[in-house]
C-alpha cells in the first residue's frame, strides 16, 4: 500500500491466541531506517482496528517506506525472576487502508 501523502494508516489486527495477550510495536521501514510509529495490545480472541497517525512521522519520508514491521517481546520473568519464553501466539492482519 502506498502511504505517501497519507494522514492515517488503518488496519485490523486479530489476536487468534486463546490465552495470551499480544503487546506490539509498529515500525515503518525504509531501505536505511526503521521508525516506531505506534503500538498497543490486543486481548486473546479479540480484534481491534489499528490507527497510525502518519502526520506525526517526521524522521522519514513516507514515499520512501517499503514495509511495515510488527514486533513484540516474546519473554517474561517468572516469580523467581527467571526469564521464560512466552507460549506461541498467533495473529492476523487485514483490511489495510490509508486516509488522505
Amino acid at each position: 500500500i502506498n502511504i505517501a501523502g497519507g494522514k492515517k494508516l488503518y488496519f485490523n489486527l486479530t489476536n487468534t491466541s486463546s490465552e495470551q495477550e499480544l503487546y506490539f510495536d509498529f515500525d515503518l521501514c525504509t531501505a536505511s531506517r526503521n521508525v516506531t510509529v505506534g503500538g498497543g495490545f490486543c486481548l486473546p480472541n479479540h480484534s481491534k482496528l489499528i490507527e497510525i497517525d502518519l502526520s506525526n512521522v517526521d524522521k522519514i519520508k513516507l514515499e520512501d517506506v517499503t514495509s511495515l514491521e510488527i514486533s513484540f517481546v516474546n519473554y517474561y520473568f517468572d516469580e523467581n525472576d527467571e526469564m521464560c519464553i512466552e507460549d506461541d501466539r498467533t495473529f492476523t492482519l487485514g483490511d489495510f487502508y490509508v486516509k488522505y
Side-chain angles (χ1 to χ4, degrees):
I1 194 166
N2 182 359
I3 62 171
K7 303 226 184 295
K8 296 203 178 192
L9 170 64
Y10 297 93
F11 56 93
N12 288 310
L13 181 142
T14 301
N15 181 357
T16 55
S17 300
S18 60
E19 297 179 18
Q20 296 281 337
E21 291 181 351
L22 184 63
Y23 292 88
F24 47 81
D25 285 322
F26 297 109
D27 290 3
L28 294 178
C29 307
T30 68
S32 61
R33 186 170 195 184
N34 292 9
V35 174
T36 301
V37 292
F41 75 97
C42 189
L43 295 171
N45 292 316
H46 281 78
S47 295
K48 68 185 324 182
L49 178 65
I50 305 296
E51 176 184 307
I52 297 174
D53 187 353
L54 299 172
S55 65
N56 292 330
V57 177
D58 59 357
K59 296 178 179 161
I60 56 173
K61 294 179 182 177
L62 294 180
E63 57 267 18
D64 294 339
V65 171
T66 57
S67 62
L68 173 70
E69 185 174 279
I70 300 166
S71 59
F72 51 92
V73 175
N74 201 29
Y75 64 87
Y76 66 96
F77 292 95
D78 67 10
E79 62 277 354
N80 298 318
D81 227 15
E82 299 279 333
M83 185 186 295
C84 301
I85 299 296
E86 291 275 9
D87 293 335
D88 287 345
R89 289 166 287 169
T90 56
F91 60 94
T92 60
L93 304 172
D95 303 322
F96 284 83
Y97 63 98
V98 177
K99 181 178 177 183
Y100 293 93

